[in-house]
Amino acid sequence: MSATAAALRPAEANDPACAHCGAPTPRGGRFCCTGCAAAFETIQGLGLGRYYRQRVLDPDRRAPRPDDGAPRRDLTAHVVSQPDGTQALSLAIDGLQCGACVWLIESVLARDTRVLTGRVNMTTRRLRLVWRGAAEDAAALVGRIEALGYRLIPFEPGALAAAQDRRGVELIRALGIAGFAAGNVMLLSIGEWAGLMQDMGPATRALLHWITALLALPAIVLAGRPFFASAIAVLRRGRTNMDVPVSLGVLLVAGISLADTFADGNHTYYESALMLLFFLLLGRVLDHRARFRARATAEQLLALRGAMVTVRLADGTLEPRRPEAVAPGEHVLVGMGERIGIDGVLEAGETTLDASLVSGESLPVAASAGAAVFAGTLNLGPPITIRATATGGATLLAECARLIEAAEARRGRFVLLADRIARGYVPVVHVTAATAFAGWMLAGATTGQALLIAAAVLIVTCPCAVALAVPAVQVIAASRLFRAGILLKSPTALERLAEVDRVVFDKTGTLSEPALALEPVAEADRPALQEAAAMAVTSRHPLARALVAAVGPVAAADGVTEHPGQGLSCGAARLGSAGFCGVPGGQGSELWFTRPGHAPLRFGFVERPREDAAAVVATLARLGLAPLVLSGDRPGAVERLARAVGVAQWEAGLSPPGKLARIEAMAASGHRVLMVGDGLNDGPALAAAFVSASPASAADISQTVADLVFQGEHLAPVTRALTMARRARRAMRQNLVLALGYNVVMVPLAAAGWVTPWLAAAAMSASSLLVMGNSARLWRVRW
């Protein structure tokens, strides 16, 4: 049986460990998956089996044991107990440099039987850890990763932002040192080069070499600290990362130059070592800034959740608290210009709110007593009082942060491809550099020349561009969509959206407004409409709410009694169905209002298309995505709305199983369907579709099964998500081609001796910046 075939067999609890990663394998097989089979065969083919077994497959060699007396950190305060009994912890990783680091950490965690999820996000440098057991096990699990040379700290937005700021300052300081020293050493080198053509004496040349050494060596030590510290930390624990070959390259160049200085040689390469560090640091600084921008959206959400709120107590006193300390039902005072920290209902006052963070709508919205407000919304008007309905992790803002984090942390097809490419880089880099050194020595080159070529190979083959190729696109696309009011819930939603060839809409609440609209009322009947609205204020019936919404703020009438399923009464006045009001007949969506001495008055309601529904349908047609309406409503109502928005194909009277069967039939015929729905009856169809979307006003079950949820009152997020998905797929493919093409071109050139170490550093940094720059174009996507 081949390794690939064995990898495809189902695993069982008593199966042996995978020969590559140690996970349970199918009975009779050596590997748990095709990826492990391919990686194992590659490593064996390179003759690196022993290296792999000693350095990677046995991560417990130096890991502290529970009984070894090693000090343990108490992380239980940061552990979150899940409803299913598992424990979860989010950690920030210091020292994460490349895709090989991600693979190493995840491989070690996968071998622990307690761990259910151990996922590292390369772009945000965040580890999401879920395990089965006690909260106290966190210290042991974290210890396994720290034994690899990484430092893990609980993920806290404030502390993480401060740490990132310090990291940025350190990188800029090192960049300044490298740039200053490189410029001065280059000036001294110009004098040396000019002297070679003018019979410079050996004593003068030696003096210039020593002055250059005194200036360059301290600068190399100071500017190279970010790389040297990381390399030393992992080597002490018997590991390696991409800072090891980079450090070796710098030290090789500096060592060769120092040896030539002591030997009074004709050439030194201090300027190459400094230029190498300068370009590497320049790439790190720009990459650090690009990553910071890419992860800013989710971290801003988490930071907003931590802002203090002001609680008004029963005796009128004000008490500042953290949002999670506010209990539902308590009253929170929000001043002008202050951001709301809890979900709730506006108790008193009228104001204007900036809800762009929540809904994606750029225009401020008016809010009055009774309006629902959400955490993250900015109060632009006078102070208001809010009665809390959800706080802490139960708010919409917290859910947004969780959805973004989940979308970033999980993996799609392109991510798995990039990870598979990056994971074998470190041993391959070392073998390639050693082969280049040996080949040039056999070809008659001097030891110094061969070492310089090996250093260039070590530097030019850094897999940073490959590791960033897909995560950078995913994070930027998810952040860009969130700012447009679109939340991605599935890790593969972007990839599947890009492949959609058919779009199906539900009618009610999706193509149409969630609430019915009141038909025009004659001016002479406006006073009666006001009276009816005063009665309807106390009811939660959809038609009553639509009536009140059409009239606007109105004081509630006294003595109103609700008769379930019939209507409202207030003295002799009645508001409700035709039968309840004593009116013969009656049809459609309507309310009747009767009072003594007045003729019965009918208030009719119509289903109104969403404001931009027709424009969205036209855009989908231009994209080659013919829309279809599937509805359970009456044929006349469905046809009327479909014509209003420009949809030519529609089907009415469908039950939930009928919608499901229709979606499955389209899938069987080869279509990849995007289903957009909001009702309870849309749940099965949403789950069966290739990819699905729901508005924020949808039923809970629809939002649960949907791959993305969009905010606001418009349908434009549907076309925006499709546009972004297609752009993101194109950017992922471009990034992988750029990253792999760079290595295909540069590695042979470096091995052939045509690339100096400093030029290798410039090329390596340029490849990473090219990938980040190509990904950053998604910020400028126009809707």
Side-chain angles (χ1 to χ4, degrees), residues 63-333:
R65 301 285 183 176
D67 56 351
D68 64 0
R72 298 288 182 139
R73 285 187 293 164
D74 184 10
L75 297 171
T76 55
H78 304 279
V79 176
V80 178
S81 296
Q82 306 292 324
D84 59 359
T86 59
Q87 313 295 330
L89 178 63
S90 291
L91 299 157
I93 306 176
D94 184 23
L96 190 73
Q97 303 295 346
C98 62
C101 299
V102 174
W103 168 74
L104 178 60
I105 292 172
E106 292 184 350
S107 297
V108 170
L109 290 173
R111 298 187 66 239
D112 194 308
T113 57
R114 296 169 294 181
V115 177
L116 301 177
T117 301
R119 286 285 180 258
V120 178
N121 187 304
M122 175 67 181
T123 306
T124 60
R125 290 191 169 97
R126 187 186 308 176
L127 168 64
R128 172 72 173 173
L129 193 58
V130 180
W131 70 94
R132 186 183 296 108
E136 290 74 15
D137 293 340
L141 295 173
V142 169
R144 294 170 68 87
I145 306 305
E146 292 188 329
L148 303 176
Y150 304 98
R151 188 170 71 93
L152 274 66
I153 57 175
F155 183 82
E156 296 179 0
L160 183 62
Q164 293 296 330
D165 288 343
R166 289 194 298 272
R167 171 70 171 171
V169 170
E170 291 173 0
L171 289 174
I172 291 175
R173 183 186 298 119
L175 177 65
I177 293 171
F180 171 80
N184 285 278
V185 168
M186 289 292 288
L187 290 175
L188 292 171
S189 299
I190 291 173
E192 179 186 346
W193 298 335
L196 290 175
M197 296 180 291
Q198 299 178 8
D199 298 325
M200 177 184 288
T204 304
R205 184 172 58 250
L207 177 62
L208 288 176
H209 285 174
W210 279 108
I211 293 174
T212 302
L214 291 174
L215 178 62
L217 292 176
I220 290 172
V221 171
L222 294 174
R225 282 186 61 186
F227 307 101
F228 301 153
S230 173
I232 291 172
V234 295
L235 288 174
R236 281 178 176 172
R237 292 166 174 81
R239 313 292 174 193
T240 185
N241 63 12
M242 282 313 303
D243 282 338
V244 173
V246 167
S247 300
L248 284 175
V250 173
L251 294 176
L252 278 175
V253 175
I256 294 170
S257 299
L258 186 60
D260 282 347
T261 300
F262 275 106
D264 291 332
N266 291 329
H267 303 287
T268 59
Y269 309 96
Y270 294 113
E271 72 281 357
S272 293
L274 287 168
M275 289 299 292
L276 165 61
L277 283 175
F278 177 79
F279 282 116
L280 288 171
L281 287 166
L282 179 62
R284 287 279 172 96
V285 168
L286 295 177
D287 176 62
H288 175 82
R289 292 189 175 184
R291 289 172 186 263
F292 177 80
R293 184 181 180 189
R295 62 176 171 258
T297 299
E299 291 179 0
Q300 285 171 2
L301 295 181
L302 294 170
L304 289 175
R305 288 171 54 190
M308 301 293 285
V309 299
T310 303
V311 178
R312 174 175 285 165
L313 303 180
D315 59 1
T317 58
L318 303 179
E319 178 180 294
R321 292 188 201 168
R322 293 185 63 83
E324 58 268 23
V326 179
E330 290 191 298
H331 291 82
V332 174
L333 180 67

Side-chain angles (χ1 to χ4, degrees), residues 23 25 29 76 97 149 230 262 286 373 438 531 535 611 628 715-716 744:
T25 66
T76 55
Q97 303 295 346
S230 173
F262 275 106
L286 295 177
V373 295
E531 294 181 36
M535 293 176 59
E611 182 180 345
L628 167 68
L715 273 181
V744 168

Side-chain angles (χ1 to χ4, degrees), residues 537-607:
V537 165
T538 59
S539 176
R540 303 301 301 174
H541 191 278
L543 294 183
R545 305 310 302 165
L547 185 70
V548 174
V551 174
V554 62
D558 295 328
V560 177
T561 302
E562 184 159 4
H563 306 269
Q566 300 180 70
L568 304 167
S569 64
C570 181
R574 290 195 169 196
L575 176 68
S577 65
F580 177 68
C581 295
V583 179
Q587 59 180 357
S589 300
E590 62 182 11
L591 286 176
W592 286 88
F593 183 47
T594 59
R595 299 162 294 167
H598 295 81
L601 180 61
R602 179 184 180 273
F603 300 119
F605 297 88
V606 294
E607 202 169 38

